[in-house]
Amino acid sequence: EIVLTQSPATLSLSPGERATLSCRASQSVSSYLAWYQQKPGQAPRLLIYDASNRATGIPARFSGSGSGTDFTLTISSLEPEDFAVYYCQQRSNWPQSFGQGTKLEIK
Amino acid sequence: QVQLVQSGAEVKKPGASVKVSCKASGYTFTSYGISWVRQAPGQGLEWMGWISAYNGNTNYAQKLQGRVTMTTDTSTSTAYMELRSLRSDDTAVYYCARDEEAAAVLWGQGTLVTVSS
């Protein structure tokens, strides 16, 4: 089973700053990695699929990069609505798995 | 419109079973798989399993093997997730999601299952 480790657990930043979130896999997942955003009381929302492709309707300030075992989600300039929890998910092997999440909070 | 609508909240006693439904509309049900994901209170997302709405093939998380069964009814475009021998740590919000090749794009609203004596 592939384990995804996200860092940091919590990231405290101000609106307008750049956010860099990391996801590391215990073995290669090629580019089969997705990123989701979740706000309290809501279902997750897909942001990025196949490591670097933005989902429909996702603003350009969100970008994903990486392949193999190391991946990054970058938010170029934080908007107030971006403060949420972010999860990575690998879809390379069964069983699929999620990282434990990074909480992006307002500083 | 394209959506997944889940059944309502459930309260169950330890040892009981629960069956959550997920009704799809607005798209061809058999063209996609359905994933089930749960989230315990204050915790992260946990992948539970996947079912092909086309042929009923399944993949389950190892920790749930033997307790979970995922099925579909193509006549009503509905997916089901049954979890047996419920324990207190099964208390969670259960989500279904339309599983496309690269990601889960469309999600249900979630169903809270509370296990309590």
Side-chain angles (χ1 to χ4, degrees), chain B residues 28-45:
Chain B
T28 302
F29 182 65
T30 52
S31 294
Y32 301 91
I34 295 287
S35 284
W36 290 89
V37 174
R38 70 179 180 179
Q39 186 169 37
Q43 303 301 309
L45 302 174

Side-chain angles (χ1 to χ4, degrees), chain A residues 36 38 42 87 91 94-96, chain B residues 39 47 95 99-100 102-104:
Chain A
Y36 300 87
Q38 188 180 34
Q42 296 183 15
Y87 295 94
R91 305 173 59 84
W94 300 109
Q96 296 179 14
Chain B
Q39 186 169 37
W47 184 83
Y95 293 102
D99 200 87
E100 303 181 18

Side-chain angles (χ1 to χ4, degrees), chain A residues 30-69:
Chain A
S30 185
S31 293
Y32 299 115
L33 190 106
W35 289 94
Y36 300 87
Q37 176 194 67
Q38 188 180 34
K39 297 180 180 179
Q42 296 183 15
R45 177 175 74 142
L46 176 67
L47 300 175
I48 301 287
Y49 65 93
D50 288 346
S52 61
N53 296 294
R54 270 191 307 277
T56 302
I58 301 303
R61 64 180 181 273
F62 291 91
S63 63
S65 63
S67 66
T69 61

Side-chain angles (χ1 to χ4, degrees), chain B residues 29-34 50-57 72 74:
Chain B
F29 182 65
T30 52
S31 294
Y32 301 91
I34 295 287
W50 168 91
I51 182 167
S52 166
Y54 175 72
N55 59 18
N57 287 349
T72 59
T74 56

